[in-house]
Amino acid sequence: MLNQLLRDLVVNQILPRVQTPGQYIGGEWNSVRKDSAAVRGRLCLAFPDTYSIGMSHHGLQVLYAVMNSREGWACERVFTPMSDMETLLRERGLPLFGLESFSPLREFDVVGFTLQYDLCYTNVLTMLDLGGIPLVAEERTREHPLVIAGGPCAANPEPMARFIDLFVLGDGEEALPEVCEQWLELKQAGL
C-alpha cells in the first residue's frame, strides 16, 4: 500500500530541491508494486550506493525478481541517497523509504543489504539511521526489521557484525527466500 502522505511530502517539498530527482520516485519499467495488505512479508533490498550504481547491478535485479515472483512476498528497493537528499530528509525529519510504496525502512519485515565493497559500509549505517532502524543489532527488537547482508564482503563479516543481524553466504537466489520465510515463522511464533 502506498504511503501517500510521505510520497506527497517528498514529491512536493524535497524533489524540486535535489539533483536527479527521478532516482527517488520509483515506477520504472518492470518495477513491481504489490499491495502490502495482500502479502505476508515485505522485504526491502538495500543497495548501499547511489541509484545509478545499484540499478546497474545484475544481482539486485535477480533478487528483486526472485522475491517478487514469490506469492506472499513484496520486495522493494532502496539506495543510498545523495548528499542533497540526505540533508533534506534529515532537516524535515523524514525517513528513508522503499521506492515502490514509500514505506519507511523500519516498516519492512526484512531489510537486506548487498555488501559489494568495503567502502560502502558507512552507507549501510547512513541508510539504517535514515530508515529509523537502530544501528546496533543488539538494540533491535522483534518490532524492527531483520537486517541481513550478503554479497562478496559478507565472506568477512566481522567489520559489520555489530550492525547486521544475519549474514548470508553464497547465492542469494536460494538463501534469501528461505531466510525471509524462516524469519516470518519465528516472528509469528513469538521467538
Side-chain angles (χ1 to χ4, degrees), residues 18 26 34 49 59 96 114 117 123 129 173 176-177 179 181 187:
V18 300
K34 292 186 178 182
D49 208 327
L96 188 60
T114 181
Y117 33 86
N123 288 343
D129 186 45
E173 299 91 321
L176 184 60
V179 166
E181 289 293 340
K187 279 180 76 171

Side-chain angles (χ1 to χ4, degrees), residues 1 6 34 36 39-46 73-78 96-112 131 133 141-147 183-184 187:
M1 180 170 287
L6 182 56
K34 292 186 178 182
S36 60
V39 296
R40 292 179 305 118
R42 297 174 65 217
L43 163 69
C44 193
L45 294 174
W73 277 91
C75 181
E76 299 190 26
R77 302 158 296 143
V78 66
L96 188 60
F97 51 87
L99 290 181
E100 285 72 14
S101 69
F102 281 79
S103 295
L105 288 188
R106 68 179 172 267
E107 294 180 5
F108 287 88
D109 295 298
V110 179
V111 175
I133 301 170
T141 68
R142 270 185 263 135
E143 302 304 314
H144 297 107
L146 177 70
V147 177
W183 176 243
L184 278 188
K187 279 180 76 171

Side-chain angles (χ1 to χ4, degrees), residues 44-113:
C44 193
L45 294 174
F47 199 95
D49 208 327
T50 61
Y51 176 91
S52 59
I53 304 253
M55 280 301 288
S56 64
H57 187 264
H58 182 68
L60 179 74
Q61 305 302 329
V62 169
L63 293 176
Y64 182 76
V66 165
M67 289 306 295
N68 273 316
S69 69
R70 294 184 65 84
E71 191 175 318
W73 277 91
C75 181
E76 299 190 26
R77 302 158 296 143
V78 66
F79 303 91
T80 302
M82 295 178 76
S83 60
D84 56 355
M85 180 69 161
E86 178 185 349
T87 298
L88 291 169
L89 288 173
R90 289 188 189 284
E91 283 177 0
R92 287 174 170 69
L94 297 175
L96 188 60
F97 51 87
L99 290 181
E100 285 72 14
S101 69
F102 281 79
S103 295
L105 288 188
R106 68 179 172 267
E107 294 180 5
F108 287 88
D109 295 298
V110 179
V111 175
F113 286 93

